[in-house]
Amino acid sequence: MHCFRLLLLKKPLLVLLSFSIFALGFPFSALAATDDGKNSAAVLCYHHIVPDEEAAETKSEATISVSEFEEQMRYLYDHGYYTASLTDIENFLYFNKQLPERTVLITFDDGYESNYTYAYPILRKYGLHAVIFLIGGAIETPSSGTASIPKLSLDEIKEMSESGFIEFGSHTFNAHYLLDKKSAFVEMSLDEITKDFEDMKDFFDKAGAPKVLSIAYPYGQYDDKIVTSAVVEGYKLGFTVTSGFIYQDSSPMTLNRIIVPPGIGLDKFKTLINDTSEALPEYYNGSIVLRIDSVTAYLGKQPVPLDAAPTYADGKLVAPLNFFKDVLKWDILWDNNTNKVARRITTREDVWFLLPTYLSRGQVMVPVRELAEKMGHQVIWHQNDKTVEIK
């Protein structure tokens, strides 16, 4: 039987993760704490993943081991991080929509085959979502050089896209190389930049991927003509490697990212994302959790964003109606004429139950305890955690 709990967690933090070849040459540095109460995001930058024995033999700052990557992903899972989509981030930046307090956008740059071979199974294992920024030309015409790191195939891209766990962005079609230590993308003329965007659009059309609206600039370098061209092409998000958090008033086309180098250990990883939280309690397993004054719900350990935070009305704990209807799929109806929630109980008397609803921040809210009990669940209050468990 499903169980539901309501929990108050600690300091909010939004985190995005990415994989990038930009990591080469950038040292590790811890982030300063974000302003208390200010909704913020940290964009972490990763790229290539290799087996542990191979990682031990490489000096590349752009490569981490499978075990280290899994340790970090497990940490995010155990601590209740929500893995956002690009649309979530667009809504956060353009429409001031709140995200769950612990939110991660995991992205991979360059489109290495290791994203499919090693990272993808780990992400699926923990139910985490991600974005891969692809270099279109490198995939369309793979290099035959022995030093070249294998890239994704179109079949692998298609499989991951259809899984619902992975979406894709642009890392340019053929502008990811250096000219006198400068990004070739920056050195291009406006016509060349426009053509690269067009070539990338054609590539994604061939790959059968949805329309791409985000870009990670090669080596984190950009200028006005690149940003303007991206906006004209319909792009909504642009990522750099300038270290720091992003905020709701950050420029969506020049977003900060933080590089995660190999071998930092879990303590430094926690410092990097400014996280001092405790792992979710064991009773989250197999349960659903709502949290007072939080826009995060949990299905097991999987966080789900809410349109409004649970709050109190008439001394009752209330939560968004659409969470119970659309996420949990409870068979209930809302009558907007009487402002009541109803469900037909099949008995000889053909009884209906009716519950009052409340309006909070433009959302229809329903009393959690009364609704859960009417649906046949037991409700338990956990004083220490300030949680309500419904099972």
Side-chain angles (χ1 to χ4, degrees):
M1 185 177 292
H2 290 300
C3 56
F4 301 71
R5 298 181 177 86
L6 189 85
L7 167 66
L8 183 62
L9 291 181
K10 298 182 180 179
K11 184 176 180 180
L13 172 70
L14 167 65
V15 180
L16 298 86
L17 296 166
S18 64
F19 282 73
S20 173
I21 197 69
F22 304 164
L24 292 169
F26 289 87
F28 167 77
S29 61
L31 290 176
T34 56
D35 295 338
D36 287 342
K38 189 171 183 181
N39 204 233
S40 62
V43 185
L44 305 186
C45 185
Y46 294 79
H47 50 287
H48 187 37
I49 303 174
V50 297
D52 290 12
E53 57 273 17
E54 185 176 337
E57 297 176 357
T58 182
K59 295 182 180 179
S60 171
E61 289 296 311
T63 302
I64 68 169
S65 70
V66 172
S67 63
E68 186 172 15
F69 176 68
E70 176 156 11
E71 181 182 45
Q72 293 170 1
M73 297 303 101
R74 178 60 186 263
Y75 181 87
L76 298 175
Y77 170 76
D78 284 341
H79 288 250
Y81 278 83
Y82 172 67
T83 50
S85 67
L86 291 171
T87 299
D88 289 326
I89 305 306
E90 288 178 33
N91 290 335
F92 171 68
L93 294 169
Y94 285 93
F95 304 108
N96 290 324
K97 184 173 180 180
Q98 298 297 301
L99 289 172
E101 290 81 356
R102 306 175 190 181
T103 298
V104 180
L105 174 65
I106 305 172
T107 74
F108 303 69
D109 284 5
D110 305 328
Y112 295 124
E113 188 177 51
S114 67
N115 300 165
Y116 174 83
T117 305
Y118 301 115
Y120 178 49
I122 292 171
L123 293 169
R124 294 198 65 162
K125 176 180 178 180
Y126 295 112
L128 305 177
H129 298 79
V131 179
I132 300 177
F133 290 111
L134 302 172
I135 304 171
I139 294 173
E140 194 168 89
T141 308
S143 172
S144 59
T146 57
S148 176
I149 301 175
K151 301 298 192 297
L152 293 166
S153 69
L154 292 180
D155 286 342
E156 290 166 342
I157 292 171
K158 184 174 185 294
E159 178 186 336
M160 289 189 290
S161 179
E162 291 178 350
S163 75
F165 285 95
I166 307 294
E167 56 185 321
F168 295 91
S170 172
H171 205 27
T172 74
F173 183 78
N174 190 27
H176 195 286
Y177 58 95
L178 294 172
L179 294 173
D180 296 327
K181 298 183 179 181
K182 287 187 177 181
S183 167
F185 206 34
V186 174
E187 296 295 289
M188 286 180 171
S189 67
L190 181 59
D191 286 344
E192 289 172 325
I193 292 170
T194 299
K195 183 179 186 306
D196 193 89
F197 276 115
E198 291 174 350
D199 288 343
M200 200 62 185
K201 179 181 181 300
D202 291 342
F203 167 79
F204 277 113
D205 286 343
K206 293 176 184 176
K211 184 178 181 181
V212 173
L213 301 177
S214 62
I215 182 171
Y217 306 117
Y219 310 101
Q221 298 178 22
Y222 63 94
D223 57 17
D224 288 345
K225 68 179 183 295
I226 288 174
V227 173
T228 300
S229 297
V231 171
V232 168
E233 293 294 328
Y235 283 67
K236 300 295 185 181
L237 301 173
F239 294 90
T240 74
V241 288
T242 302
S243 183
F245 290 90
I246 65 171
Y247 302 89
Q248 287 192 316
D249 59 356
S250 297
S251 168
M253 295 305 299
T254 55
L255 297 172
N256 296 334
R257 296 206 287 184
I258 305 156
I259 295 162
V260 180
I264 62 172
L266 197 56
D267 286 342
K268 286 186 177 180
F269 177 74
K270 290 159 61 177
T271 299
L272 198 66
I273 63 176
N274 193 34
D275 183 46
T276 58
S277 67
E278 299 291 334
L280 296 178
E282 284 300 318
Y283 60 69
Y284 271 57
N285 290 321
S287 64
I288 299 171
V289 177
L290 295 174
R291 304 189 292 134
I292 299 171
D293 296 329
S294 169
V295 291
T296 311
Y298 284 87
L299 309 183
K301 287 188 176 180
Q302 296 296 332
V304 176
L306 298 173
D307 291 331
T311 186
Y312 287 98
D314 291 342
K316 302 172 182 178
L317 180 67
V318 295
L321 170 65
N322 59 11
F323 172 71
F324 299 102
K325 282 176 49 63
D326 302 334
V327 178
L328 303 184
K329 306 298 183 182
W330 284 11
D331 184 17
I332 52 179
L333 303 172
W334 178 57
D335 185 344
N336 61 359
N337 292 319
T338 63
N339 289 324
K340 293 183 182 296
V341 169
R343 180 180 185 235
R344 187 173 185 171
I345 304 175
T346 304
T347 67
R348 285 178 297 179
E349 291 78 24
D350 208 23
V351 177
W352 290 69
F353 74 68
L354 296 174
L355 295 175
T357 59
Y358 305 85
L359 194 64
S360 176
R361 298 180 181 178
Q363 294 295 318
V364 177
M365 311 286 277
V366 294
V368 175
R369 175 180 291 275
E370 293 177 64
L371 178 59
E373 289 179 344
K374 291 291 187 183
M375 296 294 292
H377 297 276
Q378 180 185 6
V379 180
I380 303 172
W381 172 251
H382 295 274
Q383 179 63 35
N384 290 340
D385 293 335
K386 297 293 189 290
T387 69
V388 171
E389 178 182 359
I390 306 172
K391 61 179 184 179

